[in-house]
């Protein structure tokens, strides 16, 4: 199954954020992020072939996109099955660790068919939110009890197929999850996550094949879930393939404390010691870091994926995103547990969290936040040719309505600020992937009734 590439066509964008294209530079007015009115995009073979700013009216035969068009958004961190916990996980109190027990119970009920149905609906919800690529941090590999399926990658293949049927791109971050904590054997719930050891994980992962819409990366679940002497195996697998490598890092203080007790260092220092950090690596959360950790991450070019809506939902804390970026760590964004699926909210939350923490405003411009949600997110997932409206880029883009109850009023030249600080996923009117309309006027073209698909898939997983 592939993301279908559309025939050559022209899209006319009423307003567009062109990022760093030369014709956009110098067009900022009154401190706003540069927005170009009247832009014609020519598309062929799934890529943008020409960008013509200063096109005041739609060319003959062009598809008209009213509102503000941005590069497609990249959801750099997803656990698709967590979507089944929305609502139920918000009942009562508790901690990350009590939430984890509810997550395990849901994971235990997954089958390849159930996972396919749920992921297809979740990825369709992402398309409705303007997301054109997802990084799926995938660790539910085997049947309950740990026995492999006849196809050892049946669960991963279900996710790849689901993305194609929902019309978006996917980087399947096949995850090594081998231990319940610093060398302890997997618990009963975790048996289906584990391949036994990193060599067996690598052999199974090597069977996965890339497709037009799908790339294969690697992940280390966490330093507690992969023994230190096996970290290098996973890092080497990714290095040999020049593939993305992601890792949950210092999400919880308890993990830091346990790592110090066992290894005498922080999780970041342990990853550095075993060759995990580097420009193709992304640390997810990076919440509870020391100054040395921040220097190690930034100095190595390791990325940081912030997931603010999940981090606040689970009471994880606010990570040092400003310090990490200042040290050289590119920022990306993810919806993680899918308490909500809204990359505009993730971008907004990263800035607003920092405002609450520091009691000052303006840590990132709207342009910087949009870049984290688009170009840098795609780069973290190995889709460097996506995330920009420029010739040669993948023809993946999304349009935000500027006339909704949330977005009406500001001048169009402030469209980027309006999108980041006022709009929501509900304001996405169009999503185009490989030059093909996946969402048109707020309606998904491949999954006719996304709410019903979600409800049915979640119902199938209720205990």
């Amino acid at each position: 199954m592939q993301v279908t590439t559309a025939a050559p066509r022209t899209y006319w964008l009423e307003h567009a954020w062109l990022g760093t294209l030369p014709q956009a530079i110098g067009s900022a007015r009154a401190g706003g992020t540069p927005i170009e009115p009247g832009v014609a995009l020519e598309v062929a073979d799934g890529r943008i072939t020409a960008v013509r700013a200063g096109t005041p009216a739609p060319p003959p035969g062009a598809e008209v996109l009213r509102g503000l068009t941005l590069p497609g958004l990249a959801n750099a961190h997803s656990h698709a099955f967590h979507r089944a916990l929305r609502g139920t996980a918000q009942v009562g109190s508790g901690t990350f660790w009590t939430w984890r027990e509810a997550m395990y119970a849901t994971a235990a009920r997954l089958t390849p068919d159930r996972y396919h149905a749920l992921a297809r609906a979740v990825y369709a919800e992402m398309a409705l939110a303007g997301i054109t690529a997802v990084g799926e941090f995938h660790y539910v590999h085997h049947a309950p009890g740990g026995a492999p399926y006849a196809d050892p990658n049946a669960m991963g293949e279900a996710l790849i197929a689901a993305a194609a049927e929902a019309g978006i791109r996917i980087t399947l971050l096949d995850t090594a999850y081998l231990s319940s904590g610093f060398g302890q054997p997997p618990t009963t719930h975790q048996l289906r996550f584990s391949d036994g050891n990193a060599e067996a994980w690598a052999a199974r992962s090597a069977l996965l094949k890339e497709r037009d819409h799908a790339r294969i990366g690697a992940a280390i679940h966490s330093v507690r879930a992969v023994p230190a002497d096996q970290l290098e195996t996973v890092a080497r697998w990714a290095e040999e393939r020049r593939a993305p490598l992601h890792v949950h890092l210092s999400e919880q203080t308890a993990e830091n404390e346990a790592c110090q007790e066992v290894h005498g260092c922080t999780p970041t220092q342990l990853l550095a010691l075993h060759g995990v950090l580097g420009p193709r690596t992304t640390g997810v959360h990076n919440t509870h870091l020391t100054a040395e950790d921040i220097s190690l991450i930034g100095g190595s070019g390791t990325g940081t994926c912030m997931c603010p809506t999940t981090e606040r939902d689970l009471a994880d804390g606010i990570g040092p995103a400003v310090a990490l970026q200042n040290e050289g760590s590119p920022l990306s964004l993810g919806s993680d547990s899918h308490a909500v699926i809204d990359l505009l909210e993730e971008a907004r939350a990263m800035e607003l969290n920092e405002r609450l923490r520091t009691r000052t405003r303006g840590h990132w411009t709207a342009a910087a936040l949009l870049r984290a949600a688009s170009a840098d997110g795609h780069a973290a997932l190995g889709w460097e040719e996506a995330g920009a409206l420029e010739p040669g880029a993948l023809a993946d883009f999304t349009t935000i309505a500027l006339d909704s109850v949330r977005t009406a009023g500001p001048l169009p030249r402030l469209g980027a600020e309006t999108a980041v600080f006022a709009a929501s996923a509900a304001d996405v009117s169009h999503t185009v992937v490989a030059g093909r309309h996946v969402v048109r006027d707020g309606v998904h073209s491949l999954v006719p009734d996304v709410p019903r698909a979600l409800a049915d898939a979640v119902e199938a997983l209720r205990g």
Side-chain angles (χ1 to χ4, degrees):
M1 297 180 180
Q2 308 293 338
V3 169
T4 302
T5 298
R9 66 184 64 190
T10 299
Y11 286 90
W12 183 78
L13 319 180
E14 183 181 25
H15 303 282
W17 178 65
L18 299 182
T20 57
L21 275 185
Q23 58 263 45
I25 294 174
S27 62
R29 307 172 187 89
T33 298
I35 298 297
E36 292 292 334
V39 176
L41 288 187
E42 295 180 7
V43 173
D45 297 324
R47 290 183 180 260
I48 299 170
T49 56
V51 180
R52 300 198 307 274
T55 306
E63 295 212 32
V64 175
L65 303 184
R66 298 284 180 188
L68 173 67
T69 297
L70 313 167
L73 306 179
N75 189 347
H77 189 66
S78 163
H79 302 289
F81 77 91
H82 290 189
R83 174 62 177 79
L85 296 170
R86 185 183 295 179
T88 61
Q90 282 71 44
V91 175
S93 59
T95 66
F96 167 87
W97 306 102
T98 55
W99 169 88
R100 191 173 70 156
E101 294 306 311
M103 180 270 288
Y104 284 159
T106 298
R109 293 189 283 272
L110 290 171
T111 65
D113 287 345
R114 286 176 176 174
Y115 208 2
H116 172 266
L118 177 60
R120 176 177 175 267
V122 172
Y123 298 155
E125 181 182 357
M126 290 184 192
L128 289 169
I131 293 164
T132 56
V134 61
E136 184 61 39
F137 200 102
H138 166 56
Y139 55 82
V140 187
H141 302 304
H142 307 299
Y149 290 103
D151 174 356
N153 285 306
M155 296 293 267
E157 291 292 344
L159 293 165
I160 291 170
E165 292 175 24
I168 70 171
R169 304 183 194 275
I170 185 171
T171 297
L172 188 74
L173 297 161
D174 196 277
T175 304
Y177 194 137
L178 309 171
S179 169
S180 64
F182 296 99
Q184 297 301 309
T187 65
T188 299
H189 284 308
Q190 295 166 342
L191 287 172
R192 68 181 313 188
F193 308 161
S194 177
D195 291 292
N197 57 61
E199 291 294 343
W201 166 84
R204 179 188 52 72
S205 299
L207 299 174
L208 289 160
K209 304 300 181 187
E210 295 194 341
R211 276 141 266 196
D212 287 348
H213 80 290
R215 293 185 177 169
I216 308 302
I220 292 165
H221 180 274
S222 56
V223 295
R224 69 179 185 273
V226 177
D229 62 359
Q230 298 182 56
L231 292 170
E232 291 178 26
T233 299
V234 184
R236 185 170 60 251
W237 188 98
E239 176 65 26
E240 288 171 351
R241 291 161 177 79
R242 305 193 68 78
L245 173 62
H246 288 214
V247 54
H248 290 133
L249 181 56
S250 289
E251 183 178 6
Q252 296 292 320
T253 55
E255 176 180 275
N256 290 359
E257 293 162 1
C259 190
Q260 284 282 0
E261 183 176 345
V262 173
H263 296 292
C265 63
T266 68
T268 299
Q269 292 165 350
L270 187 67
L271 294 176
L273 181 65
H274 290 279
V276 175
L277 302 184
R280 282 192 303 279
T281 299
T282 297
V284 180
H285 304 303
N286 291 0
T287 306
H288 303 286
L289 302 177
T290 67
E292 181 181 349
D293 292 340
I294 293 170
S295 294
L296 284 170
I297 292 167
S300 63
T302 300
T304 295
C305 180
M306 304 298 289
C307 306
T309 65
T310 290
E311 289 151 5
R312 71 191 184 198
D313 182 56
L314 298 179
D316 288 343
I318 299 171
V322 171
L324 284 160
Q325 188 172 53
N326 287 343
E327 286 290 325
S329 180
L331 299 179
S332 56
L333 297 165
S335 62
D336 193 0
S337 68
H338 311 313
V340 297
I341 293 177
D342 187 338
L343 262 288
L344 298 175
E345 173 62 22
E346 302 294 345
R348 175 164 57 244
M350 188 164 71
E351 165 67 24
L352 298 186
N353 282 353
E354 195 66 18
R355 291 182 185 186
L356 284 174
R357 192 179 68 81
T358 63
R359 292 183 290 173
T360 60
R361 304 176 73 214
H363 302 277
W364 292 278
T365 63
L369 294 168
L370 288 175
R371 181 173 179 85
S374 56
D376 287 345
H378 281 98
L381 299 178
W383 293 96
E384 289 84 357
E385 68 274 47
L389 300 182
E390 62 186 27
L394 293 172
D396 299 355
F397 40 92
T398 189
T399 303
I400 310 297
L402 295 180
D403 58 358
S404 77
V405 293
R406 288 164 293 278
T407 60
L411 295 171
R413 66 179 174 81
L414 298 176
E417 287 73 19
T418 303
V420 171
F421 292 105
S424 76
D427 297 308
V428 171
S429 54
H430 304 284
T431 301
V432 174
V433 181
R436 175 195 184 191
H437 249 110
V438 175
V439 173
R440 187 189 297 272
D441 296 321
V443 178
H444 201 289
S445 62
L446 302 175
V447 183
D449 187 343
V450 178
R452 174 46 53 193
L454 284 163
D456 289 347
V458 171
E459 178 63 30
L461 290 174
R462 287 206 172 97

